[in-house]
Amino acid sequence: DSSRRRILPPGPSGIPILGNLLQLPALRPHPKLCEWASQYGEILYVKLGGQDVIVLNTAEAADELLSRRSHNYSSRAMPHVAHDLLRDGLGITFMGYGTSWRALRKALQVALGPGPSKNLRPMQEYESRVMLYDLMRHGDNSVVRDCGINAHGEVTDSHWYAPVRRYATSVTLFAIYGKRTNRFQNNPNLHLIYDVVDNFSRMSQPGNYLADVFPFLRHFPDILAPWRVKARKFHLREKGLWEGLVEECKTVMQDGEDRGGFVNSYLRARAKAGQENAPGRGLTEGDWMQDKFLAFAAGSVLEAGSDTTAMTIATFVLYMLNHPQVLQKAREEIDAVVGTERMPDWDDEERLPYFVACIKETMRHRPLVPLGIPHATMEDDFYKGYHIPKGCMVIGNIWAMHRDSERFYNPTAFIPERFYEEGKPTRWGTGPISQERDHYSFGWGRRFCQGSHIAEASLFITLSRLLWGLDFSAPLDPKTQRPILPDIANEEATWSEGFVSIPNPYKVRFAPRSAKHAELICDEFEAVQAEWRRMRLDVDER
Ligand code: HEM
């Protein structure tokens, strides 16, 4: 097939059968892909087992193919183990382009779209008070007492990540199911969600399972296919979790309670359309999602929205600790606009352009999903004379694009000023026109992150309040008196493996910036308990 090989984009030569599989570290592929990008240019081809993979390394190429030619580039190369087996093909993240995905995406837009996502803001505001209070209470616990990291390097409930994760999960739970999670310590429901999400992230890593890249292995009997046995077992665990959450919504509906949240309104609308009972895993006539589809789809959105948000918060804190002058400048801006009599609020956003630029620069410098979620083509295509085969996995190399020195002056430096113009509100990174966007951390085209508006609102409200209310610092090394702070540039030591790359747990001490700040943080936490009662939601337990 040498003629075909000639017209494919350039790339490293591989070996028979495995292709480039052994050259690409499955759990941390982006540094290698960037090395290849600088060698082969804007578009490169690799072969992972039987899977064709095209990597787009410039914003121009990604804008052209993933956005402008979105009609062809919006499918997914579904990971067999994590999608077909673990999720029975029903999670949104890896669902192929087609009727089911379209029905789900359309239904979700009613909850997550730019307009409807504003309805979630009161909840984000309330929950952010709880997060701020929790971090204040955390104080220097993870520094002087229990460090919050177990023997396997995983965070426990006493690490400061726990209240941040609770915030993000609670907001997403509310958006999807109309309920919240009211404590982060010893909460088995929350742990189950984290376990499921963590497991999915590991099992879906491209190149992790040979059965993902060699379709013939999928016909092996169970005895020779341990991955299938494992995925089936985990499927049952997920099924129990996701279906349980939907069952709860059904019970609430039958009791006549008008609960908010995507699943509740969907079930009500479906019942109105005469489809109250819709067992099955597909679409009904009229394209309503049946029960199992709805359960897994909703769960996959909970997953897409929770840890992504929480770990972007953790990334921001790490960047601020590493750039004290930036932190000081952002804080001065917040202090000048907000003062000490109240917390930052939504209306302040326009007057905090530097602070918003700091969030954007964090997302540019350290995109949480460095290679995005790979798209896939539905038809053969050509780009600048190169053949892009049908069914090809297409990776938008966000990491490389964010480090493009033609687009970003001194790209490896953290410079929020690049997005900042004094006196002018900073626009967010989202929006359909990708050429006008300043970063690609939310992906492209029809597959663009559907929760980006919710994500940005969460980042704004939690982080503005954190900077406003709490001092935070890294512990000092007792010998050198220097801060013990992870080095952002040290890929392996500081950042996790996995296609979502998060900061490995690190220690921070938090303290109120003044007695007045502390008092307000406590008062607002108390006041929000009354809101929970009014909304018939669980009050916080600490
Ligand atoms: C800072 C936080 C977040 C980041 C960095 C992020 C990033 C991403 C990325 C890179 C994609 C893939 C885009 C593509 O295929 O081109 C994605 C998809 C998605 N995100 Fe987010 N996300 C975040 C928060 C959220 C939130 C809060 C929600 C929902 C409440 C959400 C819901 C989704 C959904 C449903 C998809 C799948 C879209 C599809 O496959 O059709 N995300 N996200």
Side-chain angles (χ1 to χ4, degrees):
D1 104 25
S2 62
S3 62
R4 183 164 172 260
R5 181 82 197 140
R6 265 206 307 277
I7 50 170
L8 285 167
S13 49
I15 54 173
I17 304 176
L18 293 178
N20 306 99
L21 201 59
L22 300 179
Q23 289 156 282
L24 196 63
L27 292 173
R28 199 188 290 281
H30 68 271
K32 189 77 199 169
L33 282 184
C34 283
E35 203 184 300
W36 285 339
S38 53
Q39 206 173 333
Y40 298 101
E42 75 164 329
I43 176 166
L44 70 91
Y45 172 86
V46 290
K47 189 139 182 135
L48 299 181
Q51 176 70 59
D52 293 310
V53 182
I54 297 272
V55 187
L56 307 172
N57 299 312
T58 65
E60 187 204 350
D63 283 343
E64 174 59 33
L65 300 184
L66 302 180
S67 293
R68 258 182 239 114
R69 298 188 207 172
S70 200
H71 55 277
N72 184 25
Y73 284 80
S74 295
S75 202
R76 300 279 197 211
M78 300 148 245
H80 173 65
V81 179
H83 184 69
D84 300 342
L85 298 178
L86 182 65
R87 292 265 150 105
D88 194 12
L90 300 176
I92 185 168
T93 348
F94 290 113
M95 196 176 286
Y97 191 83
T99 323
S100 295
W101 173 81
R102 266 202 308 272
L104 168 56
R105 182 106 188 177
K106 190 168 148 213
L108 280 173
Q109 197 63 3
V110 177
L112 310 181
S117 68
K118 293 232 161 73
N119 298 333
L120 197 61
R121 288 196 169 191
M123 192 63 186
Q124 289 169 300
E125 191 272 310
Y126 295 154
E127 290 286 16
S128 73
R129 298 190 214 175
V130 179
M131 184 185 118
L132 195 60
Y133 173 82
D134 282 341
L135 290 177
M136 180 169 85
R137 270 186 89 229
H138 178 87
D140 54 10
N141 262 357
S142 61
V143 175
V144 297
R145 283 193 217 143
D146 174 1
C147 71
I149 303 166
N150 68 19
H152 308 291
E154 296 155 345
V155 293
T156 67
D157 292 345
S158 52
H159 193 270
W160 68 275
Y161 280 10
V164 176
R165 286 192 155 132
R166 188 216 60 82
Y167 164 86
T169 308
S170 198
V171 164
T172 328
L173 266 176
F174 188 77
I176 306 297
Y177 304 100
K179 60 186 268 177
R180 68 183 295 261
T181 181
N182 64 340
R183 62 166 209 264
F184 55 87
Q185 263 159 338
N186 307 321
N187 184 340
N189 297 333
L190 205 55
H191 286 172
L192 179 58
I193 293 175
Y194 293 158
D195 286 349
V196 161
V197 170
D198 189 48
N199 183 54
F200 176 72
S201 164
R202 263 182 290 118
M203 291 181 89
S204 56
Q205 191 66 34
N208 216 7
Y209 288 100
L210 290 178
D212 287 351
V213 288
F214 292 114
F216 72 91
L217 291 174
R218 299 175 196 173
H219 305 295
F220 279 23
D222 281 1
I223 189 135
L224 295 175
W227 65 86
R228 190 182 311 125
V229 176
K230 184 175 167 198
R232 269 213 210 104
K233 187 178 117 205
F234 285 122
H235 173 72
L236 291 178
R237 185 172 73 161
E238 288 207 11
K239 189 167 176 293
L241 172 64
W242 305 138
E243 290 187 341
L245 283 162
V246 171
E247 278 310 309
E248 201 182 314
C249 293
K250 281 190 175 170
T251 310
V252 165
M253 189 170 82
Q254 276 149 11
D255 293 348
E257 194 190 313
D258 217 12
R259 223 193 243 183
F262 164 71
V263 170
N264 298 289
S265 14
Y266 194 83
L267 285 172
R268 280 196 296 270
R270 199 180 75 176
K272 235 181 176 176
Q275 305 277 0
E276 181 158 2
N277 288 312
R281 55 177 297 288
L283 292 171
T284 66
E285 250 174 63
D287 284 352
W288 292 95
M289 285 182 270
Q290 291 172 329
D291 287 347
K292 189 176 178 190
F293 183 8
L294 179 62
F296 272 79
S300 66
V301 180
L302 177 68
E303 172 179 77
S306 301
D307 220 34
T308 44
T309 306
M311 289 301 106
T312 304
I313 293 174
T315 302
F316 182 90
V317 170
L318 183 59
Y319 272 79
M320 290 300 113
L321 288 171
N322 271 283
H323 301 90
Q325 286 97 338
V326 171
L327 172 59
Q328 194 187 339
K329 192 167 163 185
R331 202 168 247 161
E332 279 167 8
E333 182 184 65
I334 292 173
D335 285 345
V337 169
V338 178
T340 51
E341 303 292 324
R342 63 176 185 89
M343 291 183 179
D345 216 330
W346 304 111
D347 298 342
D348 297 315
E349 192 181 297
E350 293 213 329
R351 287 176 295 160
L352 299 175
Y354 187 75
F355 164 67
V356 175
C358 291
I359 298 179
K360 276 175 69 173
E361 176 65 347
T362 304
M363 294 181 83
R364 179 199 70 86
H365 202 273
R366 188 71 211 185
L368 194 79
V369 197
L371 301 173
I373 301 179
H375 290 216
T377 51
M378 289 173 282
E379 299 297 335
D380 281 310
D381 197 18
F382 288 90
Y383 178 68
K384 296 196 174 168
Y386 293 123
H387 177 214
I388 298 172
K390 176 179 174 172
C392 177
M393 180 191 279
V394 184
I395 294 178
N397 190 345
I398 299 173
W399 187 259
M401 290 171 212
H402 286 188
R403 262 138 215 261
D404 175 357
S405 57
E406 277 182 31
R407 178 142 182 197
F408 300 107
Y409 153 79
N410 195 0
T412 52
F414 181 74
I415 313 176
E417 281 74 9
R418 68 174 90 245
F419 298 129
Y420 170 65
E421 239 184 279
E422 205 177 328
K424 250 182 100 180
T426 302
R427 58 189 172 87
W428 286 95
T430 41
I433 308 167
S434 54
Q435 305 90 288
E436 288 179 13
R437 264 194 277 132
D438 293 318
H439 65 75
Y440 293 91
S441 296
F442 291 119
W444 288 270
R446 296 182 194 182
R447 286 287 187 162
F448 190 81
C449 171
Q450 212 170 354
S452 66
H453 301 282
I454 290 175
E456 288 177 336
S458 272
L459 295 174
F460 173 79
I461 201 72
T462 56
L463 293 171
S464 63
R465 289 179 170 191
L466 176 63
L467 263 53
W468 167 86
L470 302 181
D471 274 322
F472 46 94
S473 55
L476 297 181
D477 184 314
K479 279 199 196 115
T480 62
Q481 289 301 304
R482 287 240 191 92
I484 308 171
L485 200 54
D487 174 7
I488 285 169
N490 190 335
E491 180 65 43
E492 315 255 309
T494 304
W495 305 98
S496 77
E497 294 181 326
F499 85 96
V500 177
S501 178
I502 66 175
N504 288 327
Y506 62 100
K507 296 177 192 178
V508 179
R509 63 171 88 221
F510 297 89
R513 289 178 66 207
S514 74
K516 198 160 175 199
H517 286 96
E519 198 185 318
L520 195 58
I521 292 170
C522 288
D523 289 351
E524 293 287 357
F525 174 77
E526 283 309 321
V528 88
Q529 303 308 317
E531 298 294 342
W532 300 144
R533 285 192 196 93
R534 183 183 59 77
M535 295 166 79
R536 301 171 71 183
L537 293 169
D538 298 337
V539 296
D540 289 292
E541 287 171 9
R542 292 293 174 271

